[in-house]
Amino acid sequence: KGFSSVNFFLSLYRFQAFVYFASVFQAMSCGIHYLASVFMAVTPNFVCGIPGNVSSVLFYNSSESSLEDIWTSWTSTEKYIVVQLENGEIWELNQCSRSKREMNLDLAYEYKGNKSVFSCSDGFLYDDTKWKSTVVTQWELVCDREWLAKLIQPTFMLGVLIGAVIFGDIADRLGRQRVIWFTSTSQFVFGIAVAFTFDYYSFVIVRFLLAMVSSGYLVVAFVYVTEFVGIKARTWASMHVHAFFAVGIMIVALVGFFVRTWWVYQICLTIATLPFVLCCWMLPETPFWLLSEERYEDAQKVINIMARWNKVSTPCKVSELCSVQQDDLVGGRMGDNDTSSTKKHNILDLFCNWHIARRTITVWLIWFTGSLGYYVFSLSSVSLGGNEYLNLFLIGAVELPCYIIACIGMDKLGRRNTLIPFLILSALICVLIMFIPQDFNILIILANMAGKFSIGVAFGLIYLYTAELYPTIVRSLAVGSGSMMCRVGSVVAPFCVYLRSVWIFMPLLLVGIMALLSGILTIMLPETLGKPLTNTLVEATEMGRSKKSCSGKTPPAHSGGALDKIEMFGQETVSTEK
């Protein structure tokens, strides 16, 4: 009780502190690459190219000698620019077409005569006052190729989904250490490679691979730090991984402000995480994975290193840990007549009865809504008006306190009682933003920050809550399937943002509806604060039907003498929730 962020840092031993901060530092690179496209793939103002040298430019009543001087007056993509060439020809330039006036009279904006319409065969002219170069201007992803630009972020998120599945499984087979080495190094290699891609398709492919290794690192890093920190610090440790991800978003805003050429911008973002690539080789394998693979000598070596770092004179012996764990397992099996723990389970077990099925649907919806809202608020921040770099920086910064509030709320009010008000609050904020006048930029930005804050609390909380809602035999399935719904939400989010072209408030409306529905359905979920983890589906069902469900009947899933033995090293039993 009363465990705070300060206590979290104090609770870490020297060795665990080194491993923890070294691991979560690289989580910044995940935040960087996930949101890098907001400036790299931006579409500036543009018009159709012209077949000659310009002598005069006219936009309404503004007349300039060059096209570059007219962009400051450009206010609507539906308007056209009139240019006069040195040979006397007068052209009207739209975004995706151009018209040649048949009668070369005095240069005027309005013209009632005949025109010949042509396609943009001479390319396009872009406004480079803000961005010197983006992938859109590099490969002219506008007009009939605009859909290619809109696929950049969704394909990246698809790579995130696939990477989470692949590397999560590989980490269980080959170890956490090797996957962390490979994914962190690959992030740097692919991050640099993106800057030197020669066309759109190679750019998308390399970014897809970058997404896979970034997602793989983030998934495995959660498991890695969980297996090294102590039980009391588990919640705060997982939350602070999210916080470092948010710092990555803030770095994107800072680098985007200073670097306006997309490939230089990409290199700078990638180099920001070079220190971890140089030191990640010092990170050890987790003792629990080594024990699960029966590599007892290697596990003992890691424990001895931990003891030396933490100045423990008598490190525990692997043989003692194994004997205590074996006794715990035997005792647990003798006290449990349910043979379901020995059979293989699949996704259908999450729908074994009405109560569990309703719980699963609700949990999946919360995962989806949390991810959808998180990325809609983040990706939309650069379109709110005002300084887009400051907007993104603030959207990232607001996450830092939200995870602290989430941890305090979970410990003081409970998981459900914290989740419900923040989901409903995020829905109300979405509605509120729709009624704010569009010229009130500061108020709109503050409201979006509040929306990101509230949805961030829900998004961070659902990881632990899901693990506590399901029994040991399907806990991994439950969290894994929820994580998949989270990835689906991240894939859908960019398309949701693109609906701003249909109606500016359409993304907020969709997020608001989903958040309100999720908040209402969460009322039917049981509270798990202070309750022991359940072991069977029967116990999990009873937890949802009776307030006195399993309390005092079912021992916690992570109890046992072995746990007491290794607490001094900041360790805990491998959590199946990852």
Side-chain angles (χ1 to χ4, degrees), residues 82-92 99-108 110-111 113-116:
V82 179
V83 298
Q84 186 174 34
L85 306 184
E86 291 180 349
N87 61 8
E89 294 180 351
I90 299 177
W91 291 76
E92 293 180 6
S99 303
K100 179 182 178 182
R101 294 179 178 179
E102 299 296 340
M103 301 289 291
N104 295 332
L105 303 176
D106 293 336
L107 184 64
E110 299 294 338
Y111 176 73
N114 295 328
K115 306 176 187 177
S116 299

Side-chain angles (χ1 to χ4, degrees), residues 153-161 368 371-372 375 485-496:
Q153 188 65 18
T155 53
F156 183 92
M157 289 302 181
L158 182 61
V160 168
L161 189 156
F368 177 85
S371 179
L372 180 69
Y375 287 106
M485 293 304 299
C486 166
R487 310 302 175 190
V488 172
S490 66
V491 173
V492 173
F495 293 108
C496 187

Side-chain angles (χ1 to χ4, degrees), residues 190-201:
F190 289 136
I192 296 295
V194 167
F196 295 97
T197 48
F198 51 87
D199 62 8
Y200 169 80
Y201 298 102

Side-chain angles (χ1 to χ4, degrees), residues 250-280:
M250 297 162 66
I251 292 175
V252 170
L254 291 173
V255 175
F257 177 77
F258 290 106
V259 183
R260 307 298 178 91
T261 301
W262 78 266
W263 61 273
V264 179
Y265 161 85
Q266 174 65 28
I267 291 175
C268 291
L269 289 177
T270 304
I271 290 178
T273 57
L274 180 59
F276 178 79
V277 177
L278 299 178
C279 73
C280 69

Side-chain angles (χ1 to χ4, degrees), residues 397-414:
V398 77
E399 287 188 55
L400 302 182
C402 92
Y403 296 130
I404 297 176
I405 297 298
C407 287
I408 295 175
M410 283 194 292
D411 291 340
K412 300 294 184 181
L413 303 177

Side-chain angles (χ1 to χ4, degrees), residues 161 360-361 363-369 371-372 479-492:
L161 189 156
T360 299
I361 293 172
V363 168
W364 282 4
L365 185 63
I366 297 171
W367 278 92
F368 177 85
T369 302
S371 179
L372 180 69
V479 177
S481 63
S483 180
M484 287 294 292
M485 293 304 299
C486 166
R487 310 302 175 190
V488 172
S490 66
V491 173
V492 173

